[in-house]
Amino acid sequence: MTKFLVSFPASAMDVPAEDMPAVAEASHAIIREAKAAGVYVFGGGINIEVAPVMVAADGSCTSDTYRQTREFDGGFCVLELPSRPDAVRWAAKLAAACRCAQELREFYYDPES
């Protein structure tokens, strides 16, 4: 089984405020379905109200980020699935529920993790 990251940036959700409760329920229904199917690993949304910090090897923290991730926000989930076509099917379900396209990435297999 392979783990896949399904995600979207917050800016991708161009949904009227009055539709957000329906979007939330639809996406939660897909997550419940993934849990029932035994493919859900974990997921959530990035809390943009808490600033990220850069942690160095010595444990020191600075209020910095990698340039590529300065605008890292939105929602994500990790699913463990037998194939990429299965991952595409789940990503499509989430895209329909969230009303925005989902980015799909495959995790590299590391037997130590």
Side-chain angles (χ1 to χ4, degrees):
M1 297 278 268
T2 302
K3 290 182 179 73
F4 294 89
L5 173 67
V6 182
S7 65
F8 63 93
S11 62
M13 285 192 76
D14 187 18
V15 176
E18 63 270 13
D19 291 350
M20 284 305 290
V23 169
E25 175 50 35
S27 63
H28 291 152
I30 300 302
I31 296 302
R32 289 191 296 272
E33 182 183 347
K35 287 178 178 179
V39 300
Y40 182 83
V41 178
F42 73 95
I46 302 299
N47 186 348
I48 61 170
E49 295 180 17
V50 178
V53 296
M54 185 73 78
V55 181
D58 65 3
S60 62
C61 296
T62 58
S63 58
D64 200 7
T65 65
Y66 286 110
R67 186 177 72 249
Q68 306 91 313
T69 61
R70 284 200 178 110
E71 295 183 32
F72 183 67
D73 61 9
F76 69 92
C77 70
V78 175
L79 303 175
E80 190 166 34
L81 299 159
S83 70
R84 187 170 188 86
D86 289 319
V88 169
R89 282 190 283 283
W90 281 99
K93 290 180 183 190
L94 286 163
C98 294
R99 301 185 192 176
C100 65
Q102 303 288 301
E103 184 173 275
L104 179 64
R105 294 180 183 260
E106 185 174 318
F107 282 93
Y108 175 78
Y109 175 73
D110 179 351
E112 295 290 324
S113 64

